[in-house]
Amino acid sequence: MAELRNIDLNLLVVFQHLLEERNISAVARRLDLSQPAVSNALRRLRATLGDDLFVRTPQGMQPTPQAERLGGPVGEALALLSHTLEATQDFHPADSQRRFRIAMSDVGEIHFMPRLMEQCARHAPAIRIDSLRLAGADLRREMDAGRVDLAIGAFEDLGSGIMQRMLFRQGYATLFRLGHPTAHEGMGLKAFRAESHLVVSRAAPYGQVNQALEKAGVALESNFSVPHFSAVPYIVATTDLLATVPRKLAASTAPYFKLGMLTPPLRVPALQTNLYWHRRFHRDTGNQWLRALVVEAFADAA
C-alpha cells in the first residue's frame, strides 16, 4: 500500500493510453495535454516503478515486459473505476457525452450502425458509438476490462460472466444483379450450381453457408472470393456472380445496388444473432439504455 499511495492516478491513465497508442504525441492529443506533460508523467511513473516501461523504437514506444504485465490489471482497474463513477450518476441520454464501444462484424456494421446512428442523433445527440472487430479470447478480455460495452453477433466461447439476449434468427438469400441472364427466384439446384459464385472466405461466424455450398456441389476453390461481406454488393452489381449472404444484409443492400434476391436451393441452418454484455455492467444505467435501444430497434417480437 505504501507504493500505491505514491502513485498519482493520472499517471496510470497516461500509462494506459501509452499502451494503446504507443506514441506520446497521440496520447497528448487524446488527453488534451502538452507533449512535455505526457513525457513528465512517464518520467514520474518510471521513477516510482523503477522500470523504463516504454522504450522508443522506430515502431513507436514499445512496452517493456514489466509494462506488459501491468497492462491488463491496470486497464481493468481503470475501467472498473470509470464505470463505478458513472454508475453513481443518473444517466440522461439527451445530455450524455458518453462514448460506447460495440463489437460487431462488418455485416453487423452494415445492418446495425445506420439505425443506431439515427437513433442517437434523435435521442442522444452527444453520444457516440465506436464499432470494433473482436472475437473469441480478445473480445472476452476487452469485455472483462470494460473496454467493450456490448457485442452484437453470433459469438462463441465468451465464457461465464457474459450475459446475452437473442435478437433475431435469419436465413440466407442469394444476391444477383437485376438483368442477370439466368438468375431468378425459384431456380433449381442444378442451375444454381452451374452459375459463377462470389464466396466470402472469412465469413465466421457465417461459415455454415460455405459448407452448404460445398455440400450442394459448388466448388468454392473454383469461384471468386473476398474476405469480407462489405465488398459483396459492389461486385455483384457489376458482374454475373451470385453471392449467398445473410438475409437481412441482402434485404438492406439490394435496393441501393439494384440487386435481385432469390432463395438459395440449399439447406442452411438459421443464423442466430445475440446481444452480449458483461455481468459487471448489468445495472450500469448507460449500458442498460444502450441495450434497450438495440432491443427496441432490432429484436424480433417474441
Side-chain angles (χ1 to χ4, degrees):
M1 291 300 296
E3 289 185 5
L4 184 59
R5 287 198 299 269
N6 293 333
I7 299 178
D8 182 345
L9 180 60
N10 291 314
L11 299 183
L12 296 181
V13 174
V14 171
F15 170 81
Q16 183 62 30
H17 285 300
L18 274 171
L19 269 179
E20 296 172 4
E21 300 286 352
R22 311 292 171 95
N23 183 284
I24 287 178
S25 298
V27 172
R29 288 192 298 270
R30 193 167 169 183
L31 295 177
D32 196 22
L33 297 171
S34 67
Q35 291 186 40
V38 174
S39 297
N40 182 56
L42 179 56
R43 281 195 297 271
R44 290 171 59 195
L45 198 55
R46 282 168 167 167
T48 301
L49 298 179
D51 188 86
D52 286 340
L53 297 177
F54 295 91
V55 178
R56 193 179 301 277
T57 74
Q59 289 74 42
M61 300 291 288
Q62 295 301 310
T64 66
Q66 173 73 345
E68 294 278 13
R69 286 191 293 271
L70 289 172
V74 168
E76 292 180 20
L78 290 176
L80 179 59
L81 180 58
S82 176
H83 280 280
T84 299
L85 293 174
E86 289 170 355
T88 63
Q89 306 171 4
D90 291 333
F91 178 80
H92 301 289
D95 304 320
S96 176
Q97 298 183 22
R98 186 162 167 179
R99 182 176 290 272
F100 292 99
R101 307 180 84 196
I102 304 178
M104 62 181 80
S105 65
D106 66 322
V107 66
E109 286 175 343
I110 294 170
H111 182 67
F112 295 110
M113 287 299 284
R115 185 85 177 271
L116 288 175
M117 292 174 179
E118 176 192 356
Q119 292 295 307
C120 285
R122 182 180 302 175
H123 303 294
I127 280 177
R128 295 294 178 263
I129 294 176
D130 297 331
S131 68
L132 307 167
R133 293 280 199 288
L134 291 167
D138 292 335
L139 176 56
R140 175 58 196 255
R141 182 176 60 252
E142 294 299 291
M143 294 185 79
D144 283 344
R147 292 189 289 268
V148 169
D149 297 283
L150 299 178
I152 305 176
F155 298 103
E156 298 178 350
D157 302 324
L158 293 183
S160 62
I162 302 298
M163 307 179 75
Q164 68 181 58
R165 182 201 193 280
M166 189 191 80
L167 292 177
F168 53 79
R169 289 189 178 94
Q170 63 175 317
Y172 289 81
T174 298
L175 291 171
F176 59 94
R177 70 172 181 85
L178 293 179
H180 191 289
T182 51
H184 59 88
E185 177 60 71
M187 69 186 304
L189 178 58
K190 183 177 179 180
F192 182 86
R193 191 166 47 215
E195 296 289 343
S196 294
H197 294 261
L198 178 64
V199 177
V200 181
S201 58
R202 299 179 187 173
Y206 311 100
Q208 57 195 8
V209 70
N210 291 344
Q211 296 172 10
L213 287 167
E214 283 192 307
K215 189 173 181 179
V218 176
L220 301 187
E221 68 277 4
S222 300
N223 284 279
F224 297 91
S225 71
V226 291
H228 305 293
F229 283 102
S230 53
V232 167
Y234 292 92
I235 297 171
V236 173
T238 56
T239 68
D240 284 339
L241 298 175
L242 306 186
T244 302
V245 302
R247 181 165 287 276
K248 288 183 182 292
L249 171 64
S252 62
T253 57
Y256 294 101
F257 291 88
K258 296 182 172 58
L259 303 176
M261 294 169 50
L262 63 88
T263 302
L266 307 171
R267 296 179 62 88
V268 189
L271 177 68
Q272 180 169 311
T273 296
N274 299 324
L275 174 66
Y276 305 84
W277 65 97
H278 201 286
R279 185 181 299 276
R280 288 198 293 124
F281 306 114
H282 181 64
R283 299 189 184 279
D284 175 82
T285 52
N287 196 289
Q288 288 177 333
W289 172 82
L290 184 58
R291 297 196 312 261
L293 182 70
V294 171
V295 169
E296 182 178 356
F298 301 105
D300 286 344

